[in-house]
Amino acid sequence: MTSLNAHANNLASVDALAPIFKASGDPLRLEILRVLRRDTFGVLELSQLFDMRQSGMSHHLKVMNKAGLLEPQREGNAIFYRRPLHLDSDKPTDQTIRQIFEAVDRVPLPTQLQEKIEAIRNQRADQSQAFFSRHSEQFREQQELIAAFELYAEPVAELIRKRSRKHQWQTALEIGPGEGAFLPVLSGLCEHVVALDNSRDMLAKATRTCIDERLNNIDLIEGVTDTLLARGDAFDLVVANMVLHHVPSPADIFLDAAALMNNGGCLVISDLCSHDQDWTKENCGDLWLGFEPEELTAWASDAGLKAGEQLFIGLRNGFQIQVREFWKDSGQI
């Protein structure tokens, strides 16, 4: 009887694997999985990437979603697609899906496809930059529609101060400093601080903060993380406060931060947890409606970073903020 049950279970496992292999047995679908390695794309964006009609792309996505190869992510009224966040290491189906991902990730993306991805990222970046250019005078008011600065800045500062007692960081980078309100904290803890922003209007405000606060160890640079990578800069601490939901490819922030960090360095992030308040896109210039904590952990792991302490802050208006730290050397936690 036991052998019959085992045989039945094995047959059930094989039956469950068949849809996965069927859904992945198409070159286009494998290409879709490759571009979703770190990015999240909508149907229209994927249709643009692969030069096909939306109806055809929707069919492929439906089949792949049903097989568990990807999952939808609602961003307000739009649906984006990503690889599944939760894969059970003990389930044969999830093991198979993970093996498929590992196999396609070994093959580099064609240059032409990578260029199309960059074009979409640039479109998103232009959208975000245009918003901040139009609303630079109302920056604080716009941001505080979601959360007052102090609600996330103080926990981030407390975490960094606690860690600095042991690590004595010399250099720090803040990505997207906005008006520069957090720069006094970093200036007091590190010998040299770089503030990086792609908005000239925001940098002008951050410059005024540095002058008013007499911060003499701050370099303000207009650009993106690629700008610093090209310069060969390296930092002990990287901070990104409420930035990820404004950038075209949040996963790339982790990759670039890891490349910019010295061994033993720390990346500290505060950002929104996933929410459904679509008005933030128009009113606050948000590209993404927050993130699942597992998303940040997965992106960090992919960049070779180890997750450390985490804190979740609930707000009265229904938003929740996550404060996370990630280390380049897990032994440093």
Side-chain angles (χ1 to χ4, degrees):
M1 190 68 170
T2 302
S3 60
L4 289 176
N5 288 336
H7 180 65
N9 289 334
N10 288 335
L11 288 177
S13 298
V14 171
D15 289 343
L17 294 177
I20 298 173
F21 287 116
K22 184 177 180 179
S24 61
D26 180 284
L28 173 62
R29 293 174 188 170
L30 294 177
E31 289 289 298
I32 293 171
L33 291 179
R34 292 169 72 193
V35 302
L36 292 177
R37 179 178 182 179
R38 299 188 184 95
D39 286 289
T40 303
F41 291 111
V43 179
L44 289 177
E45 290 176 331
L46 288 167
S47 299
Q48 179 182 337
L49 285 175
F50 294 102
D51 296 320
M52 68 181 305
R53 297 177 64 178
Q54 182 181 348
S55 57
M57 178 58 66
S58 296
H59 170 72
H60 286 293
L61 296 175
K62 181 179 179 180
V63 172
M64 296 168 72
N65 177 31
K66 188 174 181 180
L69 290 167
L70 49 76
E71 62 186 12
Q73 172 183 327
R74 179 169 290 279
E75 294 285 335
N77 295 324
I79 300 293
F80 286 71
Y81 288 88
R82 65 188 179 194
R83 291 187 183 182
L85 293 179
H86 307 285
L87 290 175
D88 191 334
S89 59
D90 294 328
K91 291 179 60 177
T93 51
D94 287 4
Q95 291 174 353
T96 300
I97 291 171
R98 185 178 286 108
Q99 289 169 356
I100 291 172
F101 292 163
E102 291 172 353
V104 298
D105 289 344
R106 296 191 192 104
V107 184
L109 286 173
T111 302
Q112 184 179 11
L113 187 54
Q114 187 62 53
E115 289 174 351
K116 289 183 178 181
I117 292 174
E118 287 302 318
I120 290 176
R121 290 173 178 170
N122 289 337
Q123 290 171 5
R124 295 173 177 174
D126 291 344
Q127 175 186 339
S128 179
Q129 193 169 2
F131 176 89
F132 286 106
S133 178
R134 292 194 306 269
H135 300 282
S136 62
E137 294 303 319
Q138 300 86 31
F139 174 78
R140 181 61 67 89
E141 292 84 353
Q142 296 284 353
Q143 293 302 96
E144 292 194 352
L145 289 172
I146 297 176
F149 172 75
E150 294 77 14
L151 289 177
Y152 57 87
E154 291 180 4
V156 172
E158 181 180 351
L159 175 62
I160 292 175
R161 290 192 183 103
K162 181 174 69 173
R163 294 305 193 191
S164 68
R165 299 187 192 110
K166 174 182 177 181
H167 297 282
Q168 297 181 336
W169 292 310
Q170 301 298 311
T171 56
L173 163 66
E174 182 172 13
I175 301 173
E179 294 181 332
F182 198 74
L183 291 176
V185 174
L186 297 177
S187 176
L189 292 173
C190 301
E191 290 185 6
H192 180 232
V193 178
V194 169
L196 178 73
D197 206 304
N198 66 352
S199 170
R200 185 169 299 179
D201 296 305
M202 288 293 101
L203 280 179
K205 290 183 173 294
T207 299
R208 173 52 57 187
T209 298
C210 290
I211 293 172
D212 293 343
E213 298 287 338
R214 298 181 180 179
L215 308 178
N216 300 315
N217 59 342
I218 310 285
D219 282 342
L220 296 113
I221 298 177
E222 182 181 352
V224 294
T225 46
D226 285 346
T227 308
L228 302 183
L229 289 168
R231 292 175 12 148
D233 288 10
F235 304 93
D236 300 317
L237 172 67
V238 179
V239 178
N241 280 320
M242 301 294 279
V243 168
L244 289 184
H245 59 274
H246 290 299
V247 301
S249 180
D252 281 356
I253 293 294
F254 289 85
L255 289 171
D256 292 349
L260 287 166
M261 284 159 54
N262 293 317
N263 193 40
C266 183
L267 168 64
V268 178
I269 284 177
S270 63
D271 217 286
L272 296 170
C273 294
S274 292
H275 62 87
D276 59 3
Q277 302 196 44
D278 191 43
W279 60 265
T280 60
K281 291 193 171 187
E282 180 177 350
N283 290 31
C284 304
D286 294 9
L287 293 178
W288 308 104
L289 300 184
F291 308 95
E292 298 290 343
E294 294 85 356
E295 283 185 278
L296 304 193
T297 302
W299 290 334
S301 177
D302 201 32
L305 303 177
K306 175 80 172 183
E309 190 169 326
Q310 59 184 16
L311 170 68
F312 296 91
I313 306 164
L315 308 179
R316 291 182 179 178
N317 54 10
F319 292 103
Q320 186 178 41
I321 293 174
Q322 51 185 312
V323 177
R324 308 286 305 277
E325 65 173 6
F326 303 94
W327 294 84
K328 192 164 184 177
D329 179 359
S330 60
Q332 297 294 321
I333 298 177

